[in-house]
Amino acid sequence: MNFYGWSDYLVDNFLKTKMDKWTLQITFSIAIFLFSSSNNLILGQNLPNDSLIVADVTQQKDVTDYYRMLFAKKSVAEHDSAKKKSIGPFYTPLPYPGYSLVTGGMIGAINSLSFYTHYGDGAKMSNISVENMYTQNKQLLNIVRSNIWLNHEKYNLLGDWRYYQYPNITYGLGSKTLLSDVSKVDYSLLRVYEVVMRQVNKNVCVGLGYSLDYHWNIAETNNPEIVNTDFDKYGYSNTSVSSGITLNFQFDNRLNSNNPAKGVYANLQIRDNLTVLKSDNNWQSATLDFRYYIPISKRTGNRIALWSYNVVILGGIPPYFDLPSTGWDTNDNTGRGYIEGRFRGRNALYFEAEYRFTITKNGFLGGVLFSNFSSFSEPISNKFEKINSSYGLGLRIKVNKFSNTNLCIDYGFGAGGSRGFAFGLNENF
């Protein structure tokens, strides 16, 4: 019996014993992950095609399959997989006790709905996710994100709506700040981003959108002896409004953005904030998001994922909290290994590479190794003068094999002693 056979046998059959089943599952998961890392990550499986419409998932297992095994219920996945993968939708509710550097412990739920708006070759999966969290640091986070394809991929609707009550910290501007530069801040946030794009060529879309960032109850909550922070120097008021129109250009040949097996994604957004739309002042930005997925083995399905995320302020003066910052991309995933908001500046360059590999042949467990590099322009020179990097590793647990959705548990190491966990649903990019 090869390693795949042993790993699947142990996970499947030990769950049927009278022992502590969850302990066994976690122990074997960790052991398999460490073993795979020490063997040059040769382990893997034949991953399904990026489109789950044609994917054979009868040999795959996810959390639901193991739940049935735990409670001695007959698995029906082999009998209904063909139907499920054809009609959807794929609903993934996830209770979420978790942790991050900026929130501390958190509790809440993530609900992810993936679906097709038509069926056939080339159909792209749509997704709507809803996150509701309350954290140890008395933060309230409510997020609704959407990526919806309509009319045989002729239209793409992208949304990012948020309501935060957000005691937080910031470290000032540029890439040279230290952990000792920490400043406590507080605010509430309403974000409304919505984009409508029309296909103009195969996988190419252009469109218009509206973006609103409204912050209120803004305050610096440091001890009185902490004065003259970058936050003070930049200037702020009790409220800030950035309201503008966006022009969007997109290339996307991925079929499943939850967990792409291959493909390219590129999105260029030009944002023009205007006082006629109640923005505090006129300012403009450009954001380029580029992702490339490279299959490296047909036998294992392992792949390399590359990501570049760059923001440039073209003109005007944005409010402090609307400047590009670590962890404030669309999915809040830049800079694993650093606390959200660790680096901030007028302009930002970011690059990340990730090696994604499978551990068990049934697809239930996988892992990643990642490294990222970022640079934020300095407040006086407006030049990129330092690069900060981080690296780490992560575990992937299949929570829905039909939508290819993973629970992601990562641990990153950054410069200057920064380190910490990151949790999420679906891949980081």
Side-chain angles (χ1 to χ4, degrees):
M1 186 180 293
N2 60 22
F3 179 81
Y4 285 143
W6 278 111
S7 62
D8 294 333
Y9 175 85
L10 290 173
V11 172
D12 292 350
N13 290 281
F14 272 78
L15 282 171
K16 299 175 183 177
T17 70
K18 295 181 180 179
M19 300 176 66
D20 185 341
K21 297 174 181 179
W22 283 115
T23 301
L24 283 169
Q25 176 64 46
I26 295 169
T27 301
F28 284 129
S29 299
I30 296 172
I32 293 166
F33 175 71
L34 294 175
F35 183 85
S36 69
S37 299
S38 65
N39 283 272
N40 297 318
L41 310 179
I42 299 175
L43 310 176
Q45 65 165 345
N46 292 319
L47 286 179
N49 187 285
D50 204 15
S51 172
L52 294 183
I53 293 177
V54 297
D56 181 6
V57 295
T58 59
Q59 302 304 314
Q60 302 288 299
K61 290 190 176 179
D62 58 19
V63 169
T64 300
D65 294 317
Y66 285 119
Y67 174 82
R68 292 190 181 108
M69 293 178 66
L70 281 167
F71 292 94
K73 293 182 179 180
K74 183 179 179 181
S75 175
V76 298
E78 290 77 14
H79 304 294
D80 66 4
S81 61
K83 179 180 179 181
K84 283 188 176 181
K85 70 186 178 184
S86 297
I87 63 174
F90 315 111
Y91 176 54
T92 308
L94 185 67
Y96 199 74
Y99 174 86
S100 75
L101 290 172
V102 73
T103 64
M106 67 175 74
I107 189 168
I110 300 177
N111 291 278
S112 177
L113 179 66
S114 297
F115 56 95
Y116 293 104
T117 55
H118 76 97
Y119 307 108
D121 292 340
K124 295 182 178 180
M125 183 173 286
S126 299
N127 179 267
I128 300 173
S129 65
V130 180
E131 303 177 27
N132 305 103
M133 306 289 178
Y134 187 76
T135 79
Q136 177 184 343
N137 295 332
K138 299 181 180 180
Q139 299 157 321
L140 179 66
L141 297 85
N142 299 280
I143 307 171
V144 180
R145 297 188 181 99
S146 57
N147 180 8
I148 301 172
W149 295 93
L150 298 174
N151 196 11
H152 291 259
E153 283 68 55
K154 288 184 179 180
Y155 295 95
N156 189 203
L157 312 181
L158 300 173
D160 180 3
W161 295 52
R162 308 186 189 192
Y163 170 68
Y164 284 6
Q165 293 179 12
Y166 212 51
N168 200 353
I169 55 178
T170 183
Y171 294 86
L173 301 178
S175 293
K176 297 180 179 180
T177 58
L178 305 174
L179 290 175
S180 58
D181 296 325
V182 63
S183 177
K184 296 180 180 180
V185 294
D186 194 0
Y187 60 81
S188 297
L189 166 67
L190 174 65
R191 167 176 288 183
V192 178
Y193 291 178
E194 198 66 43
V195 175
V196 179
M197 285 189 284
R198 174 68 159 85
Q199 186 182 79
V200 295
N201 205 338
K202 184 177 181 180
N203 299 314
V204 179
C205 295
V206 298
L208 295 174
Y210 173 72
S211 292
L212 169 69
D213 287 287
Y214 172 44
H215 295 82
W216 71 98
N217 295 332
I218 300 172
E220 194 169 30
T221 58
N222 291 322
N223 294 327
E225 60 269 18
I226 301 177
V227 296
N228 205 28
T229 64
D230 276 0
F231 187 59
D232 293 318
K233 295 176 184 177
Y234 192 85
Y236 69 95
S237 60
N238 182 256
T239 64
S240 72
V241 180
S242 294
S243 175
I245 301 298
T246 63
L247 178 61
N248 303 266
F249 304 88
Q250 177 177 280
F251 176 88
D252 187 3
N253 65 359
R254 304 170 302 169
L255 297 181
N256 182 357
S257 60
N258 293 337
N259 187 359
K262 58 185 178 180
V264 175
Y265 171 83
N267 184 288
L268 173 63
Q269 181 180 90
I270 307 298
R271 176 174 175 175
D272 189 7
N273 298 279
L274 301 166
T275 55
V276 295
L277 296 177
K278 304 302 182 181
S279 185
D280 288 343
N281 54 68
N282 296 322
W283 64 273
Q284 302 78 37
S285 66
T287 302
L288 176 61
D289 186 341
F290 178 81
R291 311 175 190 194
Y292 185 30
Y293 306 89
I294 309 170
I296 60 175
S297 171
K298 292 182 179 179
R299 181 182 66 86
T300 65
N302 297 352
R303 56 200 180 274
I304 293 173
L306 304 176
W307 182 25
S308 180
Y309 188 85
N310 311 285
V311 184
V312 177
I313 304 301
L314 301 174
I317 302 176
Y320 184 89
F321 291 118
D322 294 336
L323 292 169
S325 175
T326 305
W328 276 96
D329 57 292
T330 301
N331 295 311
D332 306 325
N333 288 329
T334 55
R336 279 177 290 175
Y338 294 105
I339 193 170
E340 184 183 88
R342 174 63 184 87
F343 300 107
R344 188 185 307 268
R346 185 174 174 87
N347 305 304
L349 302 176
Y350 183 83
F351 175 79
E352 181 163 349
E354 187 171 84
Y355 179 61
R356 300 175 180 174
F357 57 95
T358 53
I359 295 174
T360 59
K361 188 177 181 179
N362 65 14
F364 182 63
L365 296 177
V368 302
L369 298 174
F370 65 86
S371 182
N372 59 64
F373 304 86
S374 64
S375 185
F376 291 79
S377 58
E378 299 302 318
I380 298 177
S381 67
N382 201 33
K383 295 180 179 179
F384 297 103
E385 300 180 10
K386 183 180 179 182
I387 296 175
N388 291 295
S389 63
S390 69
Y391 61 93
L393 71 171
L395 181 67
R396 298 294 179 265
I397 302 173
K398 190 73 66 184
V399 294
N400 191 314
K401 62 188 179 184
F402 298 103
S403 61
N404 209 12
T405 297
N406 289 330
L407 172 64
C408 304
I409 306 172
D410 298 325
Y411 194 86
F413 302 85
S418 293
R419 62 180 63 190
F421 280 102
F423 293 80
L425 198 63
N426 294 322
E427 294 303 318
N428 282 273
F429 60 92

